[in-house]
Amino acid sequence: MAPWSGLWGGKAGGDAYRGTPVVVKMENPNWSISEISSPEDDDEDILAAGGRRKGGRSKNAKQIRWVLLLKAHRAAGCLASLASAAVALGGAARRRVAAGRTDAEAGVVAATGESPVVRSRFYAFIKAFLVVSLLLLAVEVAAYLNGWDLADSALALPVIGLEALYASWLRFRAAYVAPGIQFLTDACVVLFLIQSADRLIQCLGCFYIHLKRIKPKPKSPALPDAEDPDAGYYPMVLVQIPMCNEKEVYQQSIAAVCNLDWPKSNFLVQVLDDSDDPLTQTLIREEVAKWQQQGARIVYRHRVLRDGYKAGNLKSAMSCSYVKDYEFVAIFDADFQPNPDFLKRTVPHFKDNDELGLVQARWSFVNRDENLLTRLQYINLCFHFEVEQQVNGVFLNFFGFNGTAGVWRIKALEDSGGWMERTTVEDMDIAVRAHLHGWKFIFLNDVECQCELPESYEAYRKQQHRWHSGPMQLFRLCLPDIIKCKIAFWKKANLIFLFFLLRKLILPFYSFTLFCIILPMTMFVPEAELPDWVVCYIPALMSLLNILPSPKSFPFIIPYLLFENTMSVTKFNAMISGLFQLGSAYEWVVTKKSGRSSEGDLISLAPPKELKHQKTGSAPNLDTVAKEQLASKKDAKKKHNRIYKKELALSMLLLTAAARSLLSKQGIHFYFLLFQGISFLLVGLDLIGEQVE
């Protein structure tokens, strides 16, 4: 754009409006200003410097005014965007509330497995705190408006009427309420520091592993013979695919397993179908038959008595007479697709290592960028595999089995008592019992198995409830065995205090209690203090450590911190259910799958014959899959996002506390409470994750 002339650029042949012409570049939203010196300026500069140019020139007021105007314009644009986003959020919230479908409906209670009595008690507990906070806010607002500043003189000055009641409340609060809240605050802060120290030590361990390039290696490399490829180390492997009503993903998982690069005579695939839907059973049975026609060694099993959920399914499969011919068993859930070289990269670790019972691979995710919910899950799981599993595997030779993408020595399973249906975390159960019997584990961080993350908050919430109630059930059942077993004392201490108490019980307890209950209460009872470093600095540091294994997720560090605190209500509820053996602790809800890696992966995994003759193999079903996906999308339109009452109640509690903090000018507490309250509001209205139209 050419420089302006006239009023702003100066009149030709005169000095009435001298100034520095500017060029305003508007190709992008980032305004930039470049100065252009006039010949007269150059002459003046040269004369003033004795033939040399000045090092700089003074800016005139009009140029500065332009800069300020442009910056103001940009700021106005940002405010307009924020206002637009707020209006859109308000509209979405209004529509969600108008739908009126809450998680308290009978169908949802049955689906989540939560006891209505427990649900109502926990919700009543949260509502009681909300009612108390609203009453206290009303009192504080009245005191603020009437100027009742009695904090320093309540014990000395005689007052009457409402002012006397307020003074009595201050005396009662300081003498009886504050000490109890302060004691609970101090206890939670201590637990918080212990858990933070544990996480920091784990991160240092991970840093040491990367620094020293520590990587599990087979004791005896199993290289195949160049003349006879089948002469290498290829033991008999049983591959199991447990599934239940998962018609979205059965084709891709079966195709991936049947394409494993392993001698066909040395591995057998068991499709363990626990579906109660006749149509799904028929589809899976037909898929197995198609692969059998292509020469794959694969069998279909369906239980008549479906007891024990996944553990019962695996236990039933291991009772087959032909299992005695196999040395190892690889397990893949229905949505997992191993790479063809999976067995070649895991099974060789067992060679000449008779103490090794389990080789676990990490997960990778096909839909990690699908929405904000999947991105936040990805951060958590990256830390779990990169730090927790890897560090425990290298330094302790023990970690919790992830239930899938792992290879077990069948002798280790049998020696540990086999699969048991006593908890909903059968994978952790068998891992703990194998550890007590002296078996060692290896975690391979560089071997990945593809899967998908829950895309809706409802599915993720159910999954987290099972993952946090099961360990508490297991702790109650395993504690006597841990105490009586003959393993080293430090291994017992690690199991009891670190593996179970610190990471499974203390973490959800203090997260919910400290940030959802104590922090709001300290706003109304200022005599009980919660330091700024507990509210902001250490949580920010822990979130930064959590996000280090996935550095590309750094822009989501604040949403991650807020969302983790928001999930504490679900995790705390699940932990209490498992610890006290409540009804919801024994329910298993299959996590809903979407089948993200479907058509393209099916084509790449289909045998060559099927690609040439698309009427006889698995590839012809691609049209069927497309139709099924279209039908599922139509069914999805009949579903609705839910309203979660506990999260909404906590949102109101936190926002109420934020209003009280604003009155007392408590600084950083206000911002934390405000944003945490908004986070609870978004989750309570189910505005995070998959949105059903």
Side-chain angles (χ1 to χ4, degrees), residues 314-336:
L314 294 171
K315 182 179 180 180
S316 173
M318 295 300 293
S319 65
C320 296
S321 59
Y322 54 79
V323 172
K324 67 180 184 297
D325 299 328
Y326 295 84
E327 189 176 357
F328 305 103
V329 56
I331 302 171
F332 302 100
D333 281 352
D335 60 318
F336 279 73

Side-chain angles (χ1 to χ4, degrees), residues 340-455:
D341 63 348
F342 182 88
L343 294 180
K344 285 188 173 181
R345 299 180 67 183
T346 54
V347 174
H349 287 271
F350 290 98
K351 187 180 182 182
D352 299 329
N353 193 356
D354 296 335
E355 294 181 340
L356 183 61
L358 167 67
V359 175
Q360 172 74 60
R362 71 175 294 164
W363 303 353
S364 60
F365 310 99
V366 298
N367 63 335
R368 68 184 189 184
D369 297 324
E370 183 63 25
N371 54 47
L372 179 60
L373 179 61
T374 57
R375 288 187 176 99
L376 299 180
Q377 292 178 67
Y378 174 70
I379 296 172
N380 245 348
L381 290 171
C382 262
F383 182 86
H384 170 69
F385 288 112
E386 187 81 19
V387 179
E388 294 176 342
Q389 297 292 76
Q390 186 173 212
V391 169
N392 291 333
V394 169
F395 294 106
L396 302 176
N397 294 123
F398 166 73
F399 47 81
F401 175 45
N402 292 120
T404 179
V407 182
W408 277 94
R409 189 188 296 271
I410 292 180
K411 183 181 178 182
L413 291 177
E414 294 172 346
D415 184 44
S416 306
W419 298 103
M420 292 185 179
E421 308 98 319
R422 57 182 183 171
T423 70
T424 57
V425 284
E426 76 298 324
D427 45 9
M428 186 182 294
D429 187 0
I430 190 64
V432 170
R433 287 186 280 117
H435 181 57
L436 295 180
H437 283 79
W439 293 97
K440 295 182 178 179
F441 303 164
I442 284 179
F443 176 74
L444 301 179
N445 193 50
D446 58 340
V447 180
E448 298 183 354
C449 191
Q450 196 177 70
C451 64
E452 67 175 71
L453 295 163
E455 296 180 6

Side-chain angles (χ1 to χ4, degrees), residues 166-183:
Y166 182 65
S168 300
W169 157 243
L170 294 182
R171 289 192 292 268
F172 177 80
R173 186 179 74 185
Y176 300 103
V177 180
I181 295 180
Q182 188 64 58
F183 174 79

Side-chain angles (χ1 to χ4, degrees), residues 10 12 42 114 197 201 437 508 587 616 677:
D42 292 342
E114 291 189 60
I201 292 171
H437 283 79
E587 295 295 334
T616 58

